[in-house]
Amino acid sequence: MKVTETFLKGCFLIEPTVFGDKRGNFFEVFNKKIFEEKTGIQVNFVQDNQSISQKGVLRGLHLQKGEHAQAKLVRVVQGKAIDIAVDFRKNSPTFGKHFSIELSGENNKQLFVPRGFLHGFATLEDNTIFSYKCDNYYNKEAEDGIIYNDKTLDIDWKLSEDEILLSEKDKILPNFLEFQK
């Protein structure tokens, strides 16, 4: 397993070692011992979530506030998505910066998104299966977020505006400057 820290401290790209032969392939999706040795982060995942989405579905940018904050290990099982992590830790030197990566069922890459980050993804293919492990339980009252097309963040979602499909709650999220208040 190859583990590389992104330019956002505590946010790691994880690339598993894939073993393949004429039958198909095999790889270890997660190994707590190796993860902790390579990152220095102790994590205890308590909830696994999965979504299946058609091309153009954009989920985000979301976070859980306060004691309900979550770190996530995200990956695409099938299909392809652009995944975004935004550092929203007030005292971080990369506050307001984002990291973007294409995750797919072919490349098997994963992204570890630490607590204090906003997170979102947009599906680039139909029937994309997106999976994520969380180190804290979901709490509806702690849910918050920023609008996907915020001008300050200027994120390239790899989709045109007319391709993007949003939930009603994601359509009314505040922008970055409003959210900081």
Side-chain angles (χ1 to χ4, degrees), residues 2 13-14 34 36 58 65 76 92 106 114 124 127 147 152 172 179:
K2 181 179 175 188
L13 177 61
I14 299 165
I34 293 172
E36 290 178 356
L58 193 153
K65 298 183 294 189
V76 168
S92 171
E106 288 182 14
L124 304 176
N127 301 311
I147 192 79
T152 303
I172 59 170
F179 188 72

Short mmCIF file of all heavy atoms in Angstrom, two decimals, residues 2 13-14 34 36 58 65 76 92 106 114 124 127 147 152 172 179:
data_model
loop_
_atom_site.label_atom_id
_atom_site.label_comp_id
_atom_site.label_asym_id
_atom_site.label_seq_id
_atom_site.Cartn_x
_atom_site.Cartn_y
_atom_site.Cartn_z
N LYS A 2 0.66 2.13 -0.95
CA LYS A 2 1.41 3.39 -1.02
C LYS A 2 0.55 4.49 -0.40
O LYS A 2 -0.62 4.65 -0.76
CB LYS A 2 1.73 3.71 -2.48
CG LYS A 2 2.52 4.98 -2.67
CD LYS A 2 2.81 5.21 -4.15
CE LYS A 2 3.49 6.55 -4.34
NZ LYS A 2 3.61 6.88 -5.76
N LEU A 13 -3.47 10.42 0.20
CA LEU A 13 -3.85 9.60 -0.95
C LEU A 13 -3.33 8.19 -0.67
O LEU A 13 -2.17 8.00 -0.30
CB LEU A 13 -3.22 10.14 -2.23
CG LEU A 13 -3.46 9.34 -3.49
CD1 LEU A 13 -4.95 9.27 -3.82
CD2 LEU A 13 -2.69 9.95 -4.64
N ILE A 14 -4.19 7.20 -0.84
CA ILE A 14 -3.83 5.81 -0.56
C ILE A 14 -4.03 5.00 -1.84
O ILE A 14 -5.11 5.03 -2.44
CB ILE A 14 -4.69 5.24 0.58
CG1 ILE A 14 -4.44 6.06 1.84
CG2 ILE A 14 -4.39 3.77 0.80
CD1 ILE A 14 -5.43 5.87 2.93
N ILE A 34 -1.20 -0.81 9.02
CA ILE A 34 -0.39 -0.16 7.99
C ILE A 34 -0.76 1.32 7.87
O ILE A 34 0.11 2.18 7.78
CB ILE A 34 -0.53 -0.88 6.64
CG1 ILE A 34 0.09 -2.28 6.73
CG2 ILE A 34 0.13 -0.07 5.51
CD1 ILE A 34 -0.16 -3.14 5.51
N GLU A 36 -2.00 3.38 10.13
CA GLU A 36 -1.49 4.13 11.27
C GLU A 36 0.03 4.27 11.23
O GLU A 36 0.56 5.33 11.57
CB GLU A 36 -1.98 3.51 12.58
CG GLU A 36 -3.48 3.71 12.77
CD GLU A 36 -4.06 3.09 14.02
OE1 GLU A 36 -3.33 2.39 14.77
OE2 GLU A 36 -5.26 3.29 14.27
N LEU A 58 -23.80 15.51 -7.92
CA LEU A 58 -22.80 16.18 -7.11
C LEU A 58 -23.31 16.18 -5.68
O LEU A 58 -24.40 16.67 -5.41
CB LEU A 58 -22.57 17.59 -7.62
CG LEU A 58 -21.34 18.31 -7.08
CD1 LEU A 58 -20.86 19.36 -8.08
CD2 LEU A 58 -21.57 18.95 -5.74
N LYS A 65 -20.15 19.13 12.13
CA LYS A 65 -19.55 20.10 13.04
C LYS A 65 -19.34 19.55 14.45
O LYS A 65 -20.00 18.61 14.87
CB LYS A 65 -20.45 21.34 13.15
CG LYS A 65 -20.64 22.09 11.87
CD LYS A 65 -21.48 23.33 12.06
CE LYS A 65 -22.89 22.96 12.44
NZ LYS A 65 -23.83 24.06 12.44
N VAL A 76 -14.05 4.89 -4.85
CA VAL A 76 -15.05 4.51 -5.83
C VAL A 76 -14.87 3.02 -6.11
O VAL A 76 -13.78 2.58 -6.46
CB VAL A 76 -14.93 5.35 -7.12
CG1 VAL A 76 -15.77 4.77 -8.23
CG2 VAL A 76 -15.33 6.80 -6.84
N SER A 92 -5.19 26.29 10.21
CA SER A 92 -4.34 25.57 9.27
C SER A 92 -3.73 26.54 8.24
O SER A 92 -4.41 27.44 7.77
CB SER A 92 -5.17 24.52 8.53
OG SER A 92 -4.42 23.95 7.48
N GLU A 106 -11.32 1.60 -11.51
CA GLU A 106 -10.13 1.10 -12.19
C GLU A 106 -8.85 1.45 -11.45
O GLU A 106 -7.96 0.62 -11.33
CB GLU A 106 -10.06 1.66 -13.62
CG GLU A 106 -11.09 1.04 -14.54
CD GLU A 106 -10.98 1.56 -15.97
OE1 GLU A 106 -9.96 2.17 -16.33
OE2 GLU A 106 -11.94 1.34 -16.72
N PRO A 114 -9.40 14.22 6.67
CA PRO A 114 -9.44 14.35 8.13
C PRO A 114 -10.61 15.17 8.64
O PRO A 114 -11.28 15.88 7.88
CB PRO A 114 -8.11 15.03 8.46
CG PRO A 114 -7.67 15.69 7.22
CD PRO A 114 -8.31 14.98 6.07
N LEU A 124 -18.76 11.03 -12.57
CA LEU A 124 -18.42 11.27 -13.97
C LEU A 124 -18.91 10.17 -14.90
O LEU A 124 -18.75 10.26 -16.11
CB LEU A 124 -16.89 11.44 -14.10
CG LEU A 124 -16.29 12.54 -13.21
CD1 LEU A 124 -14.77 12.55 -13.35
CD2 LEU A 124 -16.89 13.90 -13.53
N ASN A 127 -24.00 4.96 -12.81
CA ASN A 127 -23.88 3.82 -11.88
C ASN A 127 -22.56 3.80 -11.12
O ASN A 127 -21.99 2.74 -10.88
CB ASN A 127 -24.10 2.50 -12.62
CG ASN A 127 -25.46 2.45 -13.27
OD1 ASN A 127 -26.47 2.73 -12.63
ND2 ASN A 127 -25.50 2.12 -14.55
N ILE A 147 -21.88 25.76 -0.66
CA ILE A 147 -22.35 25.55 -2.03
C ILE A 147 -21.19 25.11 -2.94
O ILE A 147 -20.07 25.60 -2.81
CB ILE A 147 -23.05 26.83 -2.57
CG1 ILE A 147 -23.80 26.56 -3.87
CG2 ILE A 147 -22.07 27.97 -2.74
CD1 ILE A 147 -25.13 25.89 -3.66
N THR A 152 -15.04 31.75 -4.23
CA THR A 152 -13.77 31.80 -3.50
C THR A 152 -12.99 30.50 -3.67
O THR A 152 -11.78 30.51 -3.91
CB THR A 152 -14.03 32.05 -1.99
OG1 THR A 152 -14.77 33.27 -1.85
CG2 THR A 152 -12.72 32.17 -1.23
N ILE A 172 -29.15 25.07 -1.59
CA ILE A 172 -29.33 26.27 -0.76
C ILE A 172 -28.21 26.46 0.28
O ILE A 172 -28.34 27.27 1.19
CB ILE A 172 -30.70 26.27 -0.05
CG1 ILE A 172 -30.86 25.03 0.84
CG2 ILE A 172 -31.82 26.35 -1.08
CD1 ILE A 172 -32.06 25.07 1.76
N PHE A 179 -20.35 31.11 5.27
CA PHE A 179 -20.17 29.95 6.14
C PHE A 179 -19.14 30.24 7.25
O PHE A 179 -19.29 29.74 8.35
CB PHE A 179 -19.72 28.76 5.30
CG PHE A 179 -19.68 27.47 6.05
CD1 PHE A 179 -20.85 26.82 6.41
CD2 PHE A 179 -18.48 26.87 6.39
CE1 PHE A 179 -20.83 25.60 7.09
CE2 PHE A 179 -18.44 25.65 7.07
CZ PHE A 179 -19.62 25.03 7.41
#
